[in-house]
Amino acid sequence: MADADLVVEVAGAVATVVIRNPGRRNAMTPAMWRRLPTLLDGLEADPAVRVVVLTGADGTFCAGADLSDLDELLAAGDGSIAVVAEERLASFAKPTVAAVHGACIGGGCQLAVACDLRIAAADARFGVPPARLGLVYPAPTTHRLARLIGPAAAKYLLFTGELVDADRALRIGLVDEVLPGTDLAARVDRLTGVIAERSQLSVAAAAAKEIVDGRADEDRTAWWHEQVRASDEAREGVAAFHERRGPRFGWTPPA
């Protein structure tokens, strides 16, 4: 295995993508940025995978992008390989959870914000450093950050380039939960287990993805409602509620 890589671990319905770059605090190399969309394509096509967790190896989420090829980065602008990877992660059809510990800076924060949910350890630190480097944060990335935490909080991070701790990240809405580091893995396991048990029709359609993200037009929304009517998901869910048992959902996306 290369020293810098994205490692996929699958346990039941949950796939975990581990950012691994020893010695560089898990900075994303160009090869890693290029690999992420292809990796996500495979996980999206796998019916056994219902949730994806993104995390970092050895106590650090991701300290940013590897800036060794600055000329390539400057030439690409908003079409950079990092933005392509971020957009693919944001459009991933299944729920995504960032499990954040340690540094989550620059490209790491970019990836965490592109996930649906972010659960952080108390030692997590977040930052957006382009102003310290003389760079312009990509427009799609900036818009996504501002939608998540609001214009004022986004401007603070962008203008100062300063790091914020996990408690402040929670207050501004950058993360959804903060836990002691020793509890992070167990909490993520519980959360992803719950999501994996829910109706994938509801999760993929209304609850977490297309409609919430504003990617479903009127025709697509009507298609989702037709999927509900044509499937047994709602009948099974209501029956399970009345019978006080766990539902046995079985919907899968049409091929």
Side-chain angles (χ1 to χ4, degrees):
M1 180 184 298
D3 286 343
D5 202 0
L6 299 173
V7 181
V8 180
E9 304 167 352
V10 179
V14 180
T16 300
V17 179
V18 182
I19 304 168
R20 180 182 179 276
N21 189 355
R24 298 295 301 275
R25 294 197 301 164
N26 298 333
M28 289 284 289
T29 66
M32 293 163 74
W33 285 118
R34 292 189 178 95
R35 184 173 177 234
L36 183 58
T38 301
L39 184 155
L40 291 171
D41 288 346
L43 294 175
E44 188 173 280
D46 185 347
V49 172
R50 294 189 164 200
V51 189
V52 168
V53 175
L54 182 65
T55 194
D58 302 325
T60 297
F61 185 77
C62 174
D66 185 334
L67 301 176
S68 57
D69 195 342
L70 183 59
D71 289 339
E72 178 182 346
L73 176 67
L74 296 177
D78 281 359
S80 72
I81 52 177
V83 174
V84 171
E86 172 197 356
E87 292 294 302
R88 181 64 187 95
L89 178 59
S91 66
F92 189 71
K94 302 173 185 180
T96 53
V97 179
V100 182
H101 39 74
C104 182
I105 302 169
C109 196
Q110 187 175 354
L111 289 172
V113 170
C115 290
D116 296 311
L117 301 172
R118 286 149 296 280
I119 311 299
D123 71 344
R125 297 294 182 269
F126 300 83
V128 182
R132 297 168 59 185
L133 302 171
L135 300 171
V136 174
Y137 213 38
T141 309
T142 302
H143 290 315
R144 181 168 288 110
L145 178 67
R147 287 195 301 270
L148 178 65
I149 64 176
K155 287 175 182 176
Y156 178 88
L157 292 177
L158 290 162
F159 291 177
T160 68
E162 293 181 351
L163 302 185
V164 298
D165 62 20
D167 287 339
R168 181 164 184 173
L170 181 64
R171 290 198 301 273
I172 65 177
L174 185 56
V175 300
D176 300 291
E177 296 181 27
V178 174
L179 305 101
T182 54
D183 297 340
L184 181 63
R187 173 56 183 145
V188 171
D189 284 347
R190 290 195 302 272
L191 176 63
T192 54
V194 168
I195 294 172
E197 290 176 354
R198 300 305 188 226
S199 167
Q200 296 306 290
L201 173 55
S202 300
V203 168
K209 300 301 292 191
E210 286 191 6
I211 296 174
V212 171
D213 291 344
R215 292 184 286 112
D217 60 17
E218 185 176 341
D219 289 342
R220 183 64 170 175
T221 302
W223 182 86
W224 281 118
H225 286 303
E226 179 57 33
Q227 290 293 302
V228 173
R229 289 189 291 270
S231 71
D232 289 326
E233 295 291 276
R235 296 181 185 87
E236 168 59 19
V238 171
F241 174 79
H242 287 305
E243 296 168 14
R244 297 184 179 182
R245 60 171 174 80
R248 295 181 289 271
F249 293 123
W251 180 88
T252 57

